[in-house]
Amino acid sequence: MPVLHNRVSNEELKQRLMEETFHRVTISFYQYFPIKNPQEFRDHLYKQLHALQVFGRIYVAKEGINAQISVPEHLMDAFRTFLYSIEPLNGLRLNIAVDDDGKSFWVLKIKVRDKIVADGIDDPEFSMERKGRYVNAAQMNALLQQPDTIVIDMRNHYEYEVGHFVNAKEVPSDTFRDQLPMAVDMMKGNEDKNIIMYCTGGIRCEKASAYMLHQGFKNVFHLEGGIINYARQAKEAGLESKFIGKNFVFDNRLGERITEDIIAKCHQCGKPADTHTNCKNNGCHLLFIQCETCAAAYDGCCSQDCKDTIHMPVQRQKELRKGVENGQNIFNKSRVRLRPRLGD
């Protein structure tokens, strides 16, 4: 049996990606549908997509599939033919990245999970068969003009921070599983209003819309294909974008620009900035926003301590990373983690 996972180092894979002479297209898609044997389905996917030189991250569960991938442009037709040969995925909409250099992924990873979106829902009566109504870009803009419309952002704080729809409400939590009951509590008393849920590619807001209906809300909508599809539709139709700023994406790009507005600030100096980066200190890896000036001043690190660390001998850095007793510098995107500020 062939090896159904990667065994090459990330460094070599990245180098191979940079040496490719063809262009790649970054795509995301998802579908809720029953999968009886997720592991078998996963292995079938891996063999076929590996042969098509597809890179990316795919989650498979009994409830469906969630994928963010890059496909060689010259193999797109072959990729579609394979994907659409899977009956529940036949004709599925593919979200094509808006701002894409083709360098979003450098390896193929397909994992089996309990759910394609961790939601914390254990109610046996809940079903994805009853979900909110889709809205496209034109319908979204029209609903936003109505005074009885409420827009809810079902993404995390670091996504909302760099870009969101005008007047969208943020659900202040770090996890989708916590956001669902919080959204219900926030919307109590608005059961008859138009409630639009949105997210990056549609997978979270689709489940959120079903959950809101399950909780008794009546007029629930969700943005078809999320921000990615909205941006493409708005551009093609010449519509004014009601999404302002940058769309955070979960690949090597960390964001794709939708409008030229910069609504966030550098977490170190406070200047307008919306470029996410991970702290270059491998013992930290904090996700934060950094302007070009601070990136140069701190060598891509979130603090002076981390800057000092990356200039230490490699062995000393490894020693500092051993054990939690050596500090709290761990990879963390949580809102509660203190962000660096000059002078602290």
Side-chain angles (χ1 to χ4, degrees):
M1 177 176 290
V3 175
L4 299 183
H5 57 85
N6 171 65
R7 288 185 173 178
V8 183
S9 70
N10 278 332
E11 290 73 19
E12 184 175 342
L13 290 169
K14 289 179 183 179
Q15 184 62 35
R16 290 181 186 179
L17 174 66
M18 295 305 168
E19 292 174 352
E20 287 182 348
T21 57
F22 53 84
H23 182 67
R24 288 180 170 272
V25 180
T26 301
I27 297 169
S28 63
F29 65 87
Y30 72 92
Q31 182 77 302
Y32 289 101
F33 69 101
I35 300 177
K36 290 184 179 180
N37 190 327
Q39 185 63 49
E40 184 179 289
F41 184 77
R42 178 264 175 206
D43 291 346
H44 175 62
L45 276 181
Y46 191 96
K47 285 186 284 187
Q48 298 299 319
L49 297 183
H50 179 72
L52 291 171
Q53 302 176 58
V54 171
F55 295 158
R57 182 190 309 112
I58 302 176
Y59 298 131
V60 173
K62 288 184 177 181
E63 67 173 359
I65 184 173
N66 179 22
Q68 297 86 40
I69 59 175
S70 74
V71 182
E73 193 169 37
H74 62 283
L75 294 175
M76 277 294 295
D77 288 343
F79 166 74
R80 282 195 181 92
T81 298
F82 162 67
L83 190 71
Y84 292 167
S85 71
I86 302 170
E87 184 57 35
L89 304 181
N90 188 18
L92 181 68
R93 181 196 65 255
L94 303 177
N95 281 337
I96 309 297
V98 178
D99 184 12
D100 182 25
D101 62 1
K103 307 299 183 184
S104 49
F105 299 100
W106 56 86
V107 67
L108 176 63
K109 295 182 179 179
I110 306 181
K111 297 183 179 181
V112 173
R113 289 190 163 184
D114 291 335
K115 294 186 178 183
I116 54 175
V117 178
D119 53 35
I121 300 173
D122 55 12
D123 185 347
E125 299 298 317
F126 174 77
S127 172
M128 282 301 299
E129 293 181 8
R130 181 171 177 256
K131 54 196 177 187
R133 286 169 280 176
Y134 278 136
V135 292
N136 59 28
Q139 293 167 328
M140 180 76 168
N141 283 8
L143 281 169
L144 288 173
Q145 301 302 314
Q146 299 182 16
D148 61 344
T149 294
I150 301 174
V151 186
I152 303 177
D153 192 314
M154 293 305 298
R155 302 173 303 152
N156 297 317
H157 69 94
Y158 53 89
E159 300 172 78
Y160 180 92
E161 186 175 13
V162 294
H164 51 257
F165 277 95
V166 176
N167 297 326
K169 293 184 178 295
E170 179 186 9
V171 184
S173 177
D174 292 325
T175 65
F176 182 67
R177 65 170 61 239
D178 290 336
Q179 284 181 319
L180 288 174
M182 290 177 69
V184 171
D185 289 340
M186 287 171 59
M187 290 298 102
K188 282 182 178 177
N190 296 295
E191 284 77 5
D192 295 322
K193 291 190 176 181
N194 294 325
I195 296 177
I196 308 177
M197 327 288 289
Y198 77 89
C199 59
T200 305
I203 188 170
R204 286 175 282 180
C205 55
E206 184 162 328
K207 181 167 281 189
S209 73
Y211 187 76
M212 295 295 280
L213 287 171
H214 183 67
Q215 294 296 323
F217 292 84
K218 300 174 182 177
N219 302 315
V220 183
F221 305 84
H222 61 99
L223 185 59
E224 183 178 12
I227 300 161
I228 297 172
N229 193 44
Y230 171 89
R232 181 166 295 280
Q233 287 183 336
K235 183 177 181 180
E236 291 174 352
L239 300 174
E240 178 187 1
S241 176
K242 297 296 183 180
F243 183 93
I244 306 301
K246 207 172 188 181
N247 180 31
F248 185 96
V249 291
F250 294 88
D251 58 49
N252 198 48
R253 297 170 297 156
L254 291 180
E256 54 184 19
R257 183 156 300 287
I258 307 301
T259 70
E260 295 304 314
D261 305 85
I262 298 178
I263 64 174
K265 295 179 180 179
C266 174
H267 290 166
Q268 291 175 303
C269 71
K271 292 179 181 178
D274 60 7
T275 299
H276 274 104
T277 188
N278 288 113
C279 179
K280 293 301 185 291
N281 175 11
N282 288 328
C284 175
H285 237 206
L286 173 69
L287 180 74
F288 70 110
I289 296 174
Q290 187 176 53
C291 69
E292 291 182 0
T293 301
C294 289
Y298 285 85
D299 292 344
C301 292
C302 70
S303 65
Q304 185 62 46
D305 285 345
C306 283
K307 178 182 177 180
D308 292 342
T309 299
I310 67 170
H311 292 294
M312 293 178 181
V314 173
Q315 187 57 41
R316 177 55 179 158
Q317 292 185 49
K318 290 181 179 180
E319 291 173 1
L320 290 173
R321 292 199 296 270
K322 290 180 180 178
V324 294
E325 70 274 11
N326 289 318
Q328 298 180 353
N329 285 341
I330 57 173
F331 178 66
N332 192 335
K333 294 180 284 193
S334 172
R335 171 192 292 272
V336 300
R337 181 171 177 184
L338 292 178
R339 291 168 175 160
R341 291 290 189 271
L342 281 179
D344 287 356

